[in-house]
Amino acid sequence: MDIKKKLLDKGFVFIPKWQPSTKIDSLAEQLGNVIKISDYEDHSGIPDVQKIIPKQRSKSLKNQYSGKFGLDSFPLHTDLAHWSKPPNYLMLRCIRGFEQVSTKVLPLKYILPQITELGFARSVVKPKNNERAVRGCLLPLSFQNNNQKCIRWDSLFLEAANDKAELIQKFILKDEVWDMAINIRLVHQGDTLIINNHSHLHARSSIPNDCVKRELERIYFN
Ligand SMILES: [Fe+2]
């Protein structure tokens, strides 16, 4: 399938208005094995297909992105970075979109020379204290999958556990790194973005007040 090839070659693929009436899980099943989030410990309440809508800070749980950032931009991150092996792919599908909001995608290769110099291979992180994290275990910031260099990073669920990880965390949060990311806009129903969650970080731009009705669906697969 062309999409699979593009995903392997490029690490992410945007498909405008892709079969808008087909369910996200059927589409993901064509590409890989859908991850049943609810099978994982501490994740039983999370549906396998998640609805993503912007929320004000005050209306969200503190351990969620919206609870910390509200309608502001979300920093670059890996989804489920605190898992021993985060899901390989995430698929985002537009239900209701706006031109003013973008999803940002940052290929690891864009920052690999800089973070290699900062000690990427020897960086370790640990889950922050929250009920969904695997408490107490150290995780490598870098890992391998199919001989490919991969990264996990998430400033909400993880914290640096050595000085190298701290330097890399500071680097990833720099404006110049934010500006390197590719902007993708999910605007029309069915607009679909699939990202390799091991080799790419992603983020969300801020949500203007007139775009709060934005609605996406998300699913993970390997
Ligand atoms: Fe995310």
Side-chain angles (χ1 to χ4, degrees):
M1 189 190 266
D2 194 34
I3 295 168
K4 268 191 181 176
K5 194 182 173 313
K6 268 192 195 159
L7 207 47
L8 284 172
D9 289 351
K10 209 176 159 201
F12 71 94
V13 57
F14 175 67
I15 314 147
K17 299 180 187 172
W18 190 30
Q19 300 182 31
S21 52
T22 306
K23 286 188 167 175
I24 187 171
D25 43 354
S26 307
L27 293 169
E29 277 160 14
Q30 293 173 26
L31 300 170
N33 296 317
V34 168
I35 295 175
K36 298 225 162 292
I37 303 276
S38 50
D39 284 353
Y40 287 77
E41 201 190 337
D42 293 335
H43 291 66
S44 57
I46 302 175
D48 300 331
V49 175
Q50 299 115 42
K51 194 164 273 196
I52 306 179
I53 46 171
K55 282 193 206 113
Q56 300 281 356
R57 204 171 279 133
S58 57
K59 291 182 180 149
S60 309
L61 297 171
K62 280 283 162 281
N63 66 349
Q64 291 178 347
Y65 264 80
S66 298
K68 173 114 200 248
F69 303 105
L71 303 180
D72 294 343
S73 56
F74 291 172
L76 289 156
H77 65 277
T78 305
D79 270 8
L80 300 168
H82 56 290
W83 284 18
S84 60
K85 196 169 190 188
N88 205 164
Y89 295 97
L90 70 136
M91 181 190 280
L92 297 172
R93 247 162 100 74
C94 179
I95 307 291
R96 193 183 303 112
F98 293 88
E99 286 280 356
Q100 301 95 307
V101 183
S102 63
T103 302
K104 300 184 79 82
V105 178
L106 182 75
L108 170 61
K109 63 183 176 196
Y110 284 18
I111 55 167
L112 192 56
Q114 296 94 321
I115 63 173
T116 299
E117 208 159 283
L118 295 172
F120 183 43
R122 284 160 287 127
S123 298
V124 278
V125 291
K126 59 182 178 190
K128 281 188 187 171
N129 263 348
N130 71 61
E131 73 258 30
R132 282 197 206 143
V134 186
R135 287 166 206 88
C137 69
L138 294 177
L139 297 162
L141 197 62
S142 77
F143 61 99
Q144 295 263 339
N145 191 21
N146 295 326
N147 287 326
Q148 202 184 19
K149 241 188 218 325
C150 304
I151 187 170
R152 76 171 78 238
W153 178 244
D154 184 313
S155 54
L156 190 61
F157 295 110
L158 298 177
E159 60 188 342
N162 67 1
D163 53 345
K164 293 165 188 70
E166 209 168 308
L167 289 172
I168 291 171
Q169 170 183 10
K170 280 188 187 142
F171 175 76
I172 290 173
L173 291 172
K174 281 186 172 180
D175 287 348
E176 64 184 79
V177 174
W178 177 262
D179 291 341
M180 279 183 212
I182 300 156
N183 285 302
I184 294 167
R185 292 168 210 285
L186 290 99
V187 177
H188 303 105
Q189 200 187 353
D191 282 358
T192 303
L193 173 62
I194 311 168
I195 305 169
N196 183 332
N197 189 44
H198 289 176
S199 59
H200 291 65
L201 298 172
H202 65 277
R204 188 203 72 192
S205 71
S206 59
I207 305 274
N209 282 332
D210 53 351
C211 301
V212 291
K213 291 206 181 312
R214 183 181 195 247
E215 194 177 326
L216 304 183
E217 276 184 328
R218 178 179 59 202
I219 197 165
Y220 298 106
F221 63 94
N222 282 328

